[in-house]
Amino acid sequence: QSCATRCFAEFGSEDLNNWLSCTIEDNQCVKIPTAGVDSSVGDVSDTGPAYNDAALKAFDPTTLIGKWYKTDGLNPNYDLFDCQANTFDASPGPGQAKAAELDMGILFRVPRPASSGGGFWENQLKEHMVVDKLAPETPNPTGRTMHTNGKMFGLTFEENWYIVGESDGSKGIPAFKLVAYKGRTLQGKYEGSFVYAKEPILPSAAVPAVKEAASKAGLDFDKFTRIDNTCPTTTKALNDPTAGTGTETTDWIDLVIGEGGVIDWVIPGWRGEYNK
């Protein structure tokens, strides 16, 4: 998963997303191994610990609006990328409450191994979240707090989020949100957990409350890893078109349709050179 994410970070673009969607999901030109997991049936959260009892029933989604840092995460394949910041904006539909739906801006970095030259790729994505208690017409058998579905890097995903702990910043406990989630893609199901804080590093004064909330949800905060949010700016991202690294997002075109590229492997002679 981390290897695939590095590739998406290096060559990602809207055109590549569309190509992946067309070849892998829409027409199944490329078969994806699923390791025996049928991700097309069942709820995304029918395996592993259940969070419905731990999810905060009185959660106010307006408290998410604004910028939050992901400071600590559990799943190394999904939670631990560098420089993670999420920004939430209210995006209600007609007649809906203010925060019935939220647009989430996502920023993260993916490091390139030092053996390959080092540096990092920077990604900015968006997801659309639906707050379940403000969308009563949507079935919610798992007791999730919010859910999202759509496509990321051209591939369909679904996620259920459970807010299992929080502080509003009062009583000497710095503001935080503890999120547990379960999701699925074509390759199967996954889950994890992370902490949001208003600072790049979770304040030590919040740690006891986070540990207590995690324990009540069946999680062990000692197994979480701190996310590196130092975000140095001494060098540009490898996928910055002005960085001069040769890895900007438009380079994927050569990878796909250039001589010796992906299409040459899949459809030899597609340019008609063998018809002359």
Side-chain angles (χ1 to χ4, degrees):
Q1 178 66 38
S2 58
C3 176
T5 303
R6 284 198 300 269
C7 292
F8 286 132
E10 180 173 0
F11 296 107
S13 72
E14 192 62 33
D15 287 335
L16 178 57
N17 292 346
N18 293 336
W19 184 81
L20 289 168
S21 179
C22 177
T23 57
I24 294 176
E25 291 193 341
D26 298 344
N27 297 295
Q28 298 183 353
C29 309
V30 179
K31 302 296 183 182
I32 297 296
T34 59
V37 177
D38 182 359
S39 62
S40 65
V41 296
D43 187 79
V44 297
S45 58
D46 62 6
T47 62
Y51 299 118
N52 52 315
D53 290 336
L56 302 178
K57 304 300 186 288
F59 172 70
D60 178 0
T62 63
T63 63
L64 262 180
I65 294 174
K67 182 177 180 179
W68 293 83
Y69 293 95
K70 280 188 181 180
T71 62
D72 302 80
L74 184 61
N75 187 328
N77 290 331
Y78 291 90
D79 301 333
L80 302 183
F81 297 109
D82 296 345
C83 300
Q84 294 195 66
N86 290 172
T87 303
F88 292 88
D89 295 298
S91 180
Q96 287 185 320
K98 177 182 178 181
E101 299 187 21
L102 300 167
D103 285 332
M104 178 174 63
I106 303 167
L107 175 68
F108 66 97
R109 289 182 180 180
V110 180
R112 182 168 66 175
S115 59
S116 300
F120 63 90
W121 296 283
E122 193 163 88
N123 275 232
Q124 296 189 55
L125 308 171
K126 282 191 177 293
E127 289 184 19
H128 186 73
M129 311 292 300
V130 176
V131 180
D132 282 272
K133 75 174 183 179
L134 298 179
E137 70 282 358
T138 303
N140 185 18
T142 67
R144 67 198 173 197
T145 307
M146 302 185 291
H147 69 276
T148 181
N149 59 69
K151 291 195 174 187
M152 186 173 293
F153 300 126
L155 305 178
T156 299
F157 75 98
E158 299 176 62
E159 277 186 9
N160 289 346
W161 283 30
Y162 304 81
I163 309 296
V164 297
E166 67 175 348
S167 169
D168 62 4
S170 63
K171 300 180 180 178
I173 303 174
F176 75 87
K177 309 287 184 188
L178 176 58
V179 180
Y181 65 87
K182 291 173 178 282
R184 70 177 170 201
T185 66
L186 187 65
Q187 289 181 281
K189 298 176 182 179
Y190 60 92
E191 59 188 271
S193 182
F194 57 84
V195 180
Y196 278 136
K198 284 297 186 178
E199 303 172 39
I201 297 176
L202 180 67
S204 58
V207 171
V210 173
K211 285 189 171 183
E212 181 180 0
S215 179
K216 289 180 179 178
L219 299 166
D220 182 356
F221 186 67
D222 289 336
K223 294 182 179 179
F224 284 53
T225 299
R226 177 178 289 180
I227 294 167
D228 183 355
N229 284 327
T230 53
C231 308
T233 58
T234 53
T235 60
K236 294 181 179 180
L238 294 167
N239 54 342
D240 185 325
T242 66
T245 59
T247 59
E248 60 264 24
T249 55
T250 54
D251 282 358
W252 80 269
I253 298 175
D254 284 337
L255 178 73
V256 176
I257 65 174
E259 185 174 352
V262 174
I263 301 300
D264 280 351
W265 279 79
V266 177
I267 313 173
W270 65 279
R271 299 180 184 85
E273 59 265 40
Y274 299 142
N275 297 330
K276 295 178 182 179

